[in-house]
Amino acid sequence: MTPIRRSYGIRRNIAVLSLLLLVLAMTCGSTPSSAAGNDWWTPTARPAPDVRIDVTGEPFTGTDSSGKVQGFVDAHNHLFGNEAFGGRLICGKVFSEAGVADALKDCPEHYPDGTLAIFDYITHGGDGKHDPVGWPTFKDWPAYNSMTHQADYYAWVERAWRGGQRVLVNDLVTNGMICSVYPFKDRSCDEMTSIRLQAKMTYDLQAYIDKMYGGTGKGWFRVVTDSAQAREVIEEGKLAVVLGVETSEPFGCKQILDIPQCGKEDIDKGLDELYALGVRSMFLCHKFDNALCGVRFDSGGLGTAINVGQFLSTGTFWQTEKCTGPQHDNPIGNASSGAESDLPAGVDVPSYDSDAQCNKRGLTALGEYAVRGMMKRKMMLEIDHMGVKAVGQALDILESASYPGVISSHSWMDLNWTERVYSLGGFVAQYMHGSEGFVAEAARTKALRDKYGVGYGYGTDFNGVGDHPAPRGANAANKVTYPFRSVDGGSVIDRQTSGERTFDINTDGAAHAGMIPDWIEDIRRVGGQDVVNDLFRGAESYLDTWGATEQHQASVNLAKGRSTAASSSEWNPFTSYRPGRAVDGDDSTRWASDWSDDQWWQVDLGSTHLVSRVTLDWERAYGKSYRIELSTDGTNWQTACSTTSGNGGLDTARFTAAPARYVRVHGLDRGTDWGYSLHEVGVHSA
């Protein structure tokens, strides 16, 4: 039976599924067992039978000689992706009170031979047929290239922890539209309902593991809600689990025909609820443009498919424009995907110029409100999947406040942004590429890590519907030899056995989360110890970013409400553009000059302060060339900094701290035919 002739009324949905499911490709009863006397890492009551760990030796604890924690960071994982998308897209559970046989079994519709494994044949090609039996044979799954089967069974995650992982970011994930068109589901498609469930399941997993170790708080899997708690967990040698969110319509903030379907009150309510659930990092957009921001495109046929999906969801296609800097989104291309047949009659996918690779939609006013709302709650912003225009605007906001809470967790950020992220104090992780590709990319950014003294992370995206490292082969150069020692040298790691199947990174690739230690050893074999050392410093760097985010305090704007003056003010019979409008704390008002190049605006701070940062929130009429000038007496001026390449938006000028009572913005060359216009000017001390 061929896929296009399958029954159950799914034929008409196959093309839609192709585009929406491919979006993500780019998105037990217990029996007692004895533990060694002081082997705190060995449970007293592991379920039997169960998956083996195949790691011996004590997990490292405490800190290094300089007082820093050590360990690897998986900055992007979806533990409970099986609970998303209606509950039947990813088959198998992370854990089950009924045991491993119940947890690691295929979806009902995959039996007896995978004929109805729709997602398998969409993502793999062919007919999607496979042996659905999981435990104990695991003939065809888990596999490095299977996107439909559980990869985060708790014992596999345990093996990753035993191999040196100390931070795991569990991104709660779903997509309401994919859920709605997928024919097999057993729960609501509401995104927030799924997010709440996945958060609950994370805490349930913690309790499940605790029971094996004798009670509450005794297990190795610890959900943490602040950096100090995470640090304590890691020092104990356990795994700190951080909750994040990656969804396409957070707080219900989708857009239909460019009309937002949410308001500020929805954003505040949503952020408060997520924070109460324990969420400390999140994405604002993912794959489809929403009411908050525009996305980073996918390319080729996949990009076309997602673009069709965006139209079906929102009524709008992606719109592109020429990029204004070296950063760019992925080229969409005009490749056919088969999804075009699902468009209404007379509607075609637009063609795009090859030299217009940036999403025209940036960070919206609601998106800016959400960013500032996250800052208010000391949450970390995930910028992967944002288009470069939106990322640039978000970084402008973070830089204007010196806010360090920014994360790129799995290689979906233009790499030209890397230094801006590091300079803020943010954290960067690379997608779990094959060892050779991972090593090459790590080498490209090594100088920046050394410059800023930071470690590195990886984002596995397990259960996130993406491929994972393929096997390099039993005869590959520098292949992994078993057993091998963990990076800290305290544990011995052998091939992992699940039921009747034994996994080998050389021949099976990264089939599940338990293969992370093997993959890291493969990286060491291919690229040497340096890149692994950077990864081993990842936990400390991640906690540095998180801790600095929690400790951030908004600085006082010394200019707010102070006396101002200007060389000129544009006259308007209906409103005022007087200079005081730029320090009134209202970003809907503004100062505007006459329409000529040499103009200035200044503020009297009332007394002399040590000044080191000035923020300029330009209206469309911006300064291309301007100076920031300081004075203690209002007569003698000193240039603190200058630029000839201003491009509008929110500018942050940083300079060596200097005493000043008066601060002047001196425009030299306009960026438009109008004058200079500033919504707000902020002046901040050292």
Side-chain angles (χ1 to χ4, degrees):
M1 185 182 296
T2 61
I4 60 171
R5 295 177 180 171
R6 289 175 182 161
S7 57
Y8 299 89
I10 63 172
R11 177 178 177 181
R12 68 180 185 278
N13 287 327
I14 298 303
V16 178
L17 290 171
S18 298
L19 70 95
L20 292 172
L21 298 175
L22 283 173
V23 166
L24 297 183
M26 292 296 172
T27 323
C28 315
S30 297
T31 58
S33 63
S34 60
N38 295 318
D39 292 355
W40 60 268
W41 58 92
T42 304
T44 58
R46 183 184 295 281
D50 204 0
V51 163
R52 285 167 40 179
I53 308 303
D54 293 306
V55 179
T56 57
E58 180 176 2
F60 57 88
T61 60
T63 60
D64 64 15
S65 58
S66 62
K68 297 180 178 180
V69 297
Q70 304 171 89
F72 305 120
V73 177
D74 183 351
H76 193 100
N77 196 317
H78 303 288
L79 285 182
F80 291 97
N82 59 292
E83 303 291 351
F85 319 113
R88 300 266 280 275
L89 185 68
I90 297 173
C91 308
K93 304 173 185 177
V94 179
F95 73 102
S96 171
E97 295 286 353
V100 64
D102 180 65
L104 295 179
K105 64 181 180 183
D106 218 334
C107 291
E109 55 274 9
H110 287 201
Y111 290 87
D113 62 359
T115 297
L116 288 180
I118 299 172
F119 192 46
D120 262 10
Y121 67 72
I122 288 174
T123 56
H124 283 173
D127 59 11
K129 290 186 178 182
H130 65 275
D131 181 356
V133 177
W135 177 270
T137 56
F138 297 110
K139 180 176 182 292
D140 287 339
W141 67 271
Y144 74 92
N145 57 355
S146 171
M147 300 181 185
T148 62
H149 295 103
Q150 181 59 246
D152 277 324
Y153 183 61
Y154 91 91
W156 294 331
V157 177
E158 181 178 354
R159 176 179 163 91
W161 159 63
R162 290 286 300 276
Q165 187 165 291
R166 290 297 179 267
V167 176
L168 170 63
V169 180
N170 177 25
D171 282 317
L172 316 176
V173 64
T174 194
N175 182 293
M177 188 172 186
I178 289 175
C179 174
S180 69
V181 301
Y182 194 65
F184 306 109
K185 61 180 71 71
D186 55 23
R187 77 275 310 269
S188 163
C189 290
D190 179 72
E191 291 193 354
M192 282 307 299
T193 298
S194 181
I195 295 303
R196 294 183 193 107
L197 174 62
Q198 292 176 53
K200 176 183 180 298
M201 293 297 293
T202 307
Y203 289 101
D204 288 349
L205 174 58
Q206 176 177 261
Y208 176 78
I209 294 172
D210 277 353
K211 284 192 297 185
M212 298 183 201
Y213 287 80
T216 302
K218 295 186 177 181
W220 53 269
F221 184 96
R222 314 306 317 154
V223 182
V224 295
T225 55
D226 62 61
S227 63
Q229 185 183 16
R231 193 172 293 277
E232 291 173 0
V233 165
I234 296 170
E235 288 177 358
E236 291 174 355
K238 299 181 180 181
L239 179 68
V241 180
V242 185
L243 294 184
V245 166
E246 182 186 44
T247 187
S248 295
E249 299 168 9
F251 330 123
C253 283
K254 72 179 300 178
Q255 56 93 6
I256 298 178
L257 298 175
D258 286 322
I259 300 173
Q261 305 299 298
C262 68
K264 292 180 178 180
E265 63 281 0
D266 299 302
I267 294 170
D268 283 327
K269 181 180 178 182
L271 285 173
D272 286 342
E273 179 181 8
L274 291 178
Y275 193 90
L277 289 173
V279 172
R280 296 297 181 265
S281 68
M282 70 174 296
F283 296 76
L284 290 183
C285 52
H286 179 248
K287 296 303 182 183
F288 298 161
D289 291 346
N290 61 24
L292 305 177
C293 50
V295 296
R296 184 167 170 81
F297 307 133
D298 286 88
S299 300
L302 176 60
T304 301
I306 297 172
N307 202 9
V308 171
Q310 158 142 330
F311 180 86
L312 295 176
S313 177
T314 69
T316 61
F317 289 108
W318 287 329
Q319 297 182 60
T320 64
E321 63 184 9
K322 290 186 177 181
C323 303
T324 58
Q327 300 82 12
H328 59 83
D329 295 321
N330 298 315
I332 301 172
N334 298 308
S336 175
S337 68
E340 298 90 327
S341 61
D342 291 291
L343 291 170
V347 176
D348 297 312
V349 178
S351 296
Y352 296 94
D353 293 336
S354 59
D355 63 345
Q357 289 189 16
C358 282
N359 193 333
K360 189 174 182 180
R361 190 182 191 87
L363 192 69
T364 67
L366 284 175
E368 179 177 341
Y369 185 82
V371 170
R372 295 190 184 280
M374 292 181 67
M375 294 167 64
K376 178 180 177 181
R377 293 163 178 83
K378 308 298 178 70
M379 298 172 73
M380 294 178 285
L381 174 66
E382 295 262 14
I383 57 174
D384 284 4
H385 291 297
M386 276 185 175
V388 297
K389 185 175 183 178
V391 172
Q393 293 168 316
L395 291 175
D396 286 346
I397 293 171
L398 301 181
E399 288 169 343
S400 72
S402 296
Y403 189 81
V406 56
I407 304 285
S408 172
S409 61
H410 67 327
S411 298
W412 261 89
M413 170 189 75
D414 187 291
L415 296 175
N416 288 296
W417 295 125
T418 303
E419 185 158 17
R420 285 186 77 179
V421 172
Y422 281 149
S423 66
L424 275 166
F427 183 79
V428 174
Q430 186 188 158
Y431 188 84
M432 191 185 189
H433 295 121
S435 56
E436 292 165 323
F438 191 94
V439 166
E441 172 54 23
R444 194 194 67 83
T445 54
K446 172 65 173 171
L448 282 176
R449 289 195 298 279
D450 290 345
K451 176 180 177 179
Y452 289 94
V454 295
Y456 204 30
Y458 50 82
T460 63
D461 206 21
F462 279 122
N463 286 357
V465 205
D467 280 332
H468 291 91
R472 290 201 299 123
N475 297 318
N478 301 317
K479 71 174 185 177
V480 172
T481 58
Y482 293 90
F484 59 88
R485 286 201 169 271
S486 58
V487 175
D488 65 292
S491 297
V492 175
I493 302 170
D494 209 338
R495 292 176 179 83
Q496 194 280 320
T497 298
S498 297
E500 299 171 9
R501 182 173 174 186
T502 296
F503 290 88
D504 184 319
I505 191 71
N506 301 300
T507 55
D508 296 300
H512 55 69
M515 302 302 288
I516 290 174
D518 312 56
W519 171 71
I520 290 173
E521 173 66 5
D522 198 36
I523 288 173
R524 189 187 70 81
R525 292 273 180 161
V526 169
Q529 191 65 37
D530 281 353
V531 62
V532 176
N533 289 343
D534 280 359
L535 289 171
F536 204 52
R537 290 192 290 269
E540 178 66 30
S541 287
Y542 183 88
L543 295 190
D544 283 346
T545 294
W546 192 4
T549 302
E550 294 167 325
Q551 295 163 17
H552 178 266
Q553 294 184 350
S555 61
V556 175
N557 180 4
L558 302 172
K560 186 176 180 180
R562 293 295 182 176
S563 175
T564 58
S567 56
S568 66
S569 294
E570 180 183 341
W571 182 84
N572 186 296
F574 304 107
T575 189
S576 170
Y577 295 128
R578 65 182 185 272
R581 290 300 182 97
V583 292
D584 62 3
D586 183 351
D587 59 11
S588 67
T589 64
R590 59 190 175 96
W591 163 72
S593 75
D594 286 344
W595 295 8
S596 60
D597 284 325
D598 192 4
Q599 301 284 341
W600 55 264
W601 173 98
Q602 73 181 48
V603 60
D604 178 356
L605 303 179
S607 60
T608 299
H609 296 267
L610 204 58
V611 173
S612 64
R613 178 163 52 97
V614 174
T615 60
L616 306 175
D617 186 3
W618 294 102
E619 194 254 353
R620 286 179 298 171
Y622 66 93
K624 180 179 180 181
S625 176
Y626 61 87
R627 296 195 299 256
I628 303 296
E629 300 170 341
L630 308 178
S631 174
T632 57
D633 58 11
T635 301
N636 300 294
W637 296 91
Q638 173 187 357
T639 298
C641 66
S642 63
T643 183
T644 58
S645 57
N647 59 3
L650 181 59
D651 286 351
T652 298
R654 298 178 186 277
F655 43 85
T656 303
R661 173 172 173 170
Y662 302 91
V663 177
R664 174 180 287 181
V665 181
H666 194 154
L668 305 174
D669 184 17
R670 293 167 294 158
T672 68
D673 290 334
W674 300 300
Y676 302 94
S677 186
L678 288 162
H679 283 295
E680 285 293 310
V681 176
V683 178
H684 304 270
S685 61

